[in-house]
Amino acid sequence: MAKKQFKAESKRLLELMINSIYTHKEIFLRELISNASDAIDKLYYRSLTDDSVNIKKEDLEILLAADKITRTVTVSDNGIGMTKEELENNLGTICKSGSLAFKEENEKTQDVDIIGQFGVGFYSAFMVADKVTVLSKAYGATEAYKWESDGIDGYTVTPCEKEKNGTTIVLHIKPDTAEEKYEDFMESYEITRLVQRYSDYIRYPIKMAIEKSRRKEGSENEWEDYTTVETLNSMTPIWKKSKGEVTDEEYNAYYKEKFANREDPIKVIRTSTDGIVSYDALLFVPASAPYDFYTKDYRKGLQLYSSGVLIDDNCSELLPDFFGFVKGIVDSQNLSLNISREMLQHDRQLKTIANHLEKKIKSELELLLKNDREKYEKFFKNFGRTLKYGIYTTYGTKKELLQGLLIFPSSNGGTATLAEYADRMKESQEFIYYASGQSEERLSKLPQCQSVKAKGFEVLYFTDEVDEFAISMMAEFGGKKFKNVADSDVATEEEKKQAEEKAQDNKDLFDAVKDVLGDKVVAVKPCVMGAEHPVCLRTEGEITFEMERMWSASAPDGSKVRASVILEINTEHSLFEKLKAVQGDKETLGKYARVLLDQGRLIEGLPIDDPVEFTSLVCELMSK
Ligand code: ADP
C-alpha cells in the first residue's frame, strides 16, 4: 500500500511543531481528549435533531489505556467517528485554507505563532509518539478504517475491523532519551495528573483501568493485584464551579485550550442570572484580533449549552456584531434541547440572554477602561473599530451603550474618551473638535488643526476610516456637536475683521484666483490665522476630505464624490506678495493658483489630479 504524503506545507509545520513549538509535550493528552470530547458532542448533537441516531447519554465516554509492554497509550471515544475521507482530510493535512494565507502573510512580517491558532491538536501526538494509529468508524457506517503514520513519511489508510462507532487513537510512545522520559506518560498516576490538570471539566467521563494492589482477605502479608475502572475527571464545567474555586490561571488555560488561542485573554467575564431565564456565562475578550476578524469569513458567536450539554457550537444570536470579538460559553437550563421544536420560545430566551450579555460586556469593558488604561488601549487597538462600526451600522441607536467605550488619540497626548474631552473643554468652546486623516502625526501638522490648537482647544485625531461616520451618527456628545477642524472657524471677531479687510483690499486678486481655478473650488479667501503654510484648504457642507478619500477608495464611481473646497491663502506668507506681483498676468497667475491648490491637497494627504502637470509647473516656476 503506497503511502500518501502530507501536503508540503503540512509537513513543514509538522516538523516545526514536533521539534520546537510545544515545550510541554504533556499537552498531547489534553488535545486528544478534547478531540474525543468534541466527537462525542457532535454525535450527541446530531441525536437531538436526527431521529435515526439512537444513543444513550450515559454510555458516552472516553477511555484511556496505557501499556508499558507494548509501549502504547490509547485514547478511545464512542463519538461520531470518521469516514475514510474524513480520516484523510482531517488528519492528512494540517493547514486548512485560511491558515495558510495567514501563515504566509505573517512569515513576511513577524514571527507569529500560528500553531496555537489553528487545529493542529491531533499532531501533538507526534511529540511523544513515533507512530500513531487511528482506528475509526463513523456513526452509522458499516466499514471502519485505519490511519497510520510516523509523522514524517506520510500516512496510510486501510480498511480494518472495529465493532463500535467512534475513534481509537493508539500512540506508540518514543524510546526514552537523555532529556526526555517518555515512559512516564504510560504511568497511570501521570495520566491521572494530566487529566485532572488539563481535562477535568470535560463533561464526559474519562475512564481508565487502573491496576492496584490490596491485602488478600484474611491474610496479614499476602497481596493481590486487581484492576478498577476509575473516572479521572470531575466533569464539573469550569463555569459551574464557584468563583473562588477557579484561579485566573485556570480560566486562561481553559480559554486557550477551548478557543485555540496562544495568548491569555485580556479580560475574563463571568456572569450568571437567576430569573425567568437563568444562565451562567463565561466570556473572554481575546488579547488580539484573529487574523480573519475584519473579513467576512469571521463568524461571531458563543458556545451554547443546555444544562451542560453543548447544543450550538457557535450561536451568533447571543452577540451583537459590535461585540463579535467576545468568545465564550453560555449555559442555560431554560433552553429546550430540541432546537427545532419551540423555536419561537427558544428565540425569545436567547434574546433575553443576549440583552443581558450586551450590558454586561459593556460594563466590564468600562471597568477595564477605568482601572487599566494601558490594557484597555491595547484592547481598543484591536477591537475599537468594531465598536465604532457598531454605532454607525445601528444608525446611532446603540450610541448610549457604546459612546463611553470610545477613545481617540488626542492633541493633548495619549488618548481621550469623549467624557474626558468634555471635562477639559474651555468655557468658550462650542464644539468637540476633531481632525480626520491617516496618521496622528500628519493630522497634528495640518494648518487647520494648528489654528484650533492655537486657541487652546483640544483636537481628537480620527485615524480610522469609520470614525467620522460613527460620529455623524452620534451627532453630539453631552450636548456638544462634533466639528471637523477643516470646517471650523475659530477666528476671533478681531481676526475676522482683519481678514475681511484683507479680502476687500485684495478683492480683485481673490476673484482672479477663483476665476482661474473655476469649479475646482467654491471660494478663495484670505487666511484668518498666522499659519506657517502658504495655503489651507477647508471644506464646506456635509462631505469632508476623509469621506471623499474613503469613497474614492471604495466606490467604483467614487472619484466623482468631491468635497466642496475653499482655498484660503495666507496673506502673511511671502508668496502672497508674489501672487500680487503676477496678478495682471492671467496665465502665470493660473499656474501659481493650480500649484497652490495642489499643495493644499498634498498637505491634506489627498491625491492630486495631475501629478505630472504639478511637477512641471513647480519646475517651471522654480527656474524663473
Ligand atoms: P482541531 O480539533 O483543532 O480541529 P485536530 O488536528 O486536533 O484539529 O483535528 C482535526 C480534525 O480531525 C478535527 O477537527 C476532527 O474533525 C477530526 N478528529 C480528530 N480527532 C477526532 C476524533 N477523536 N473523532 C472524530 N474526529 C476527530
Side-chain angles (χ1 to χ4, degrees):
M1 160 104 211
K3 273 198 178 163
K4 298 202 179 178
Q5 292 301 308
F6 289 111
K7 297 210 172 129
E9 65 274 16
S10 300
K11 212 165 151 171
R12 268 184 51 212
L13 268 171
L14 203 54
E15 281 161 20
L16 208 89
M17 186 179 60
I18 298 172
N19 298 321
S20 70
I21 305 277
Y22 283 137
T23 43
H24 296 300
K25 294 192 189 295
E26 63 186 32
I27 60 94
F28 78 93
L29 189 63
R30 174 189 77 186
E31 300 292 315
L32 297 184
I33 289 175
S34 290
N35 282 351
S37 168
D38 289 347
I40 299 177
D41 274 344
K42 283 180 197 156
L43 182 60
Y44 186 75
Y45 182 55
R46 210 206 269 175
S47 76
L48 299 175
T49 49
D50 183 346
D51 288 341
S52 68
V53 179
N54 291 308
I55 48 162
K56 284 207 209 96
K57 198 178 168 197
E58 56 277 16
D59 291 342
L60 300 171
E61 62 185 12
I62 298 162
L63 299 178
L64 304 181
D67 183 342
K68 282 192 219 161
I69 296 167
T70 55
R71 259 191 108 76
T72 56
V73 170
T74 304
V75 179
S76 220
D77 67 72
N78 52 0
I80 196 143
M82 283 178 273
T83 62
K84 183 173 183 235
E85 288 69 38
E86 283 167 340
L87 277 172
E88 295 206 355
N89 291 338
N90 295 340
L91 308 184
T93 170
I94 297 186
C95 277
K96 291 159 201 164
S97 52
S99 56
L100 182 64
F102 175 76
K103 179 178 73 101
E104 281 169 351
E105 191 180 299
N106 280 281
E107 254 175 6
K108 278 180 229 137
T109 50
Q110 69 209 87
D111 180 28
V112 172
D113 177 13
I114 66 156
I115 301 293
Q117 292 238 3
F118 298 99
V120 287
F122 167 77
Y123 290 87
S124 59
F126 289 105
M127 296 190 300
V128 298
D130 47 23
K131 187 168 88 173
V132 177
T133 310
V134 180
L135 307 161
S136 199
K137 188 175 184 182
Y139 185 86
T142 44
E143 316 86 41
Y145 289 91
K146 178 169 95 175
W147 180 101
E148 199 160 59
S149 170
D150 61 4
I152 305 159
D153 254 3
Y155 59 92
T156 57
V157 179
T158 48
C160 72
E161 287 299 315
K162 188 175 184 312
E163 197 200 331
K164 290 192 178 138
N165 63 282
T167 303
T168 297
I169 297 177
V170 184
L171 310 180
H172 304 267
I173 301 296
K174 289 180 184 175
D176 289 1
T177 64
E179 298 93 53
E180 207 72 52
K181 258 185 84 196
Y182 294 102
E183 200 173 62
D184 285 350
F185 296 126
M186 287 170 282
E187 301 286 357
S188 56
Y189 65 80
E190 177 68 359
I191 292 179
T192 307
R193 182 184 76 84
L194 294 180
V195 170
Q196 281 168 358
R197 171 149 192 209
Y198 296 113
S199 311
D200 190 58
Y201 60 86
I202 295 281
R203 294 174 330 284
Y204 305 102
I206 303 168
K207 295 180 182 169
M208 186 162 67
I210 296 181
E211 293 202 4
K212 293 194 167 164
S213 290
R214 66 185 162 205
R215 217 181 289 271
K216 261 193 179 164
E217 240 183 72
S219 164
E220 276 291 305
N221 50 12
E222 265 189 291
W223 292 76
E224 63 178 1
D225 291 336
Y226 72 105
T227 313
T228 76
V229 175
E230 289 190 1
T231 298
L232 308 182
N233 53 330
S234 78
M235 291 187 273
T236 313
I238 190 166
W239 61 89
K240 281 283 182 200
K241 293 185 179 171
S242 69
K243 283 190 189 168
E245 230 183 308
V246 191
T247 62
D248 290 350
E249 217 173 34
E250 282 171 310
Y251 282 130
N252 292 349
Y254 174 83
Y255 164 77
K256 287 193 278 194
E257 200 274 301
K258 197 79 186 171
F259 299 99
N261 208 315
R262 287 277 295 173
E263 290 173 289
D264 286 342
I266 208 160
K267 177 101 193 145
V268 179
I269 303 172
R270 251 191 95 165
T271 174
S272 45
T273 315
D274 282 316
I276 310 166
V277 181
S278 51
Y279 68 87
D280 297 291
L282 174 58
L283 310 178
F284 302 94
V285 179
S288 47
Y291 77 99
D292 62 350
F293 186 67
Y294 286 102
T295 72
K296 61 181 183 340
D297 293 335
Y298 181 79
R299 288 182 59 224
K300 60 161 183 169
L302 300 175
Q303 290 193 329
L304 183 61
Y305 289 80
S306 171
S307 301
V309 177
L310 185 72
I311 58 172
D312 190 347
D313 198 37
N314 203 68
C315 182
S316 60
E317 288 88 344
L318 287 170
L319 287 177
D321 285 344
F322 49 82
F323 289 153
F325 49 83
V326 174
K327 296 278 169 205
I329 70 96
V330 169
D331 188 357
S332 170
Q333 62 235 31
N334 298 99
L335 299 171
S336 149
L337 269 187
N338 190 336
I339 299 183
S340 50
R341 220 179 53 206
E342 296 178 303
M343 195 63 176
L344 260 178
Q345 194 190 356
H346 185 88
D347 210 14
R348 209 177 57 224
Q349 286 161 341
L350 281 189
K351 271 205 185 91
T352 311
I353 300 177
N355 283 341
H356 286 177
L357 291 182
E358 188 178 291
K359 291 198 194 90
K360 180 70 183 172
I361 296 168
K362 176 228 172 186
S363 63
E364 289 288 328
L365 289 175
E366 253 169 8
L367 275 181
L368 186 67
L369 170 61
K370 199 170 136 216
N371 299 332
D372 194 341
R373 185 69 169 235
E374 204 179 309
K375 228 182 194 179
Y376 189 83
E377 284 177 353
K378 192 174 164 226
F379 154 78
F380 200 83
K381 236 193 176 108
N382 284 309
F383 300 115
R385 229 160 93 198
T386 334
L387 304 182
K388 297 182 233 175
Y389 270 108
I391 294 178
Y392 177 54
T393 54
T394 56
Y395 305 105
T397 52
K398 291 290 176 187
K399 167 184 161 175
E400 292 303 324
L401 185 88
L402 297 173
Q403 62 186 4
L405 296 176
L406 302 183
I407 52 175
F408 298 98
S410 149
S411 60
N412 276 20
T415 59
T417 65
L418 294 174
E420 286 162 353
Y421 184 101
D423 275 353
R424 289 195 285 255
M425 274 174 84
K426 296 192 144 198
E427 235 166 73
S428 61
Q429 192 175 340
E430 225 181 309
F431 300 105
I432 298 174
Y433 290 106
Y434 67 86
S436 191
Q438 269 128 346
S439 81
E440 276 169 57
E441 213 211 332
R442 202 159 179 167
L443 287 174
S444 69
K445 288 187 189 143
L446 278 183
Q448 305 93 322
C449 198
Q450 285 176 346
S451 65
V452 173
K453 283 193 287 185
K455 297 280 174 224
F457 301 146
E458 184 176 356
V459 179
L460 298 177
Y461 297 138
F462 286 5
T463 50
D464 249 349
E465 283 176 350
V466 63
D467 285 335
E468 264 193 302
F469 292 89
I471 289 308
S472 71
M473 286 298 168
M474 287 174 64
E476 47 91 29
F477 179 83
K480 300 281 182 185
K481 287 202 160 51
F482 293 92
K483 196 138 184 89
N484 193 326
V485 291
D487 184 22
S488 303
D489 184 359
V490 288
T492 59
E493 288 308 314
E494 178 59 30
E495 286 165 331
K496 278 184 195 158
K497 220 175 103 206
Q498 274 176 15
E500 191 49 42
E501 277 164 16
K502 282 269 185 208
Q504 284 308 325
D505 292 351
N506 300 285
K507 188 170 183 311
D508 292 349
L509 176 59
F510 288 112
D511 286 350
V513 175
K514 163 74 182 105
D515 197 41
V516 291
L517 289 176
D519 55 10
K520 285 189 157 98
V521 294
V522 292
V524 180
K525 292 180 180 172
C527 257
V528 290
M529 71 226 175
E532 56 188 279
H533 303 277
V535 282
C536 167
L537 299 187
R538 290 187 186 283
T539 54
E540 191 183 73
E542 292 293 304
I543 302 170
T544 64
F545 288 133
E546 207 38 38
M547 292 179 176
E548 176 183 321
R549 198 172 4 238
M550 200 169 147
W551 268 315
S552 338
S554 58
D557 59 348
S559 51
K560 292 195 190 101
V561 178
R562 277 291 171 106
S564 302
V565 177
I566 300 169
L567 174 68
E568 291 189 352
I569 301 173
N570 186 0
T571 50
E572 308 296 318
H573 202 279
S574 55
L575 217 110
F576 186 65
E577 294 309 315
K578 194 83 193 229
L579 278 182
K580 279 208 258 186
V582 297
Q583 188 175 346
D585 174 359
K586 202 169 172 185
E587 199 192 329
T588 311
L589 182 72
K591 288 177 182 168
Y592 273 95
R594 287 209 296 281
V595 170
L596 282 176
L597 178 61
D598 279 348
Q599 280 182 345
R601 289 185 69 84
L602 288 173
I603 294 170
E604 290 294 333
L606 291 165
I608 52 178
D609 290 338
D610 190 344
V612 177
E613 189 203 29
F614 174 74
T615 314
S616 37
L617 279 177
V618 170
C619 287
E620 189 188 323
L621 297 175
M622 278 168 85
S623 42
K624 266 192 181 170

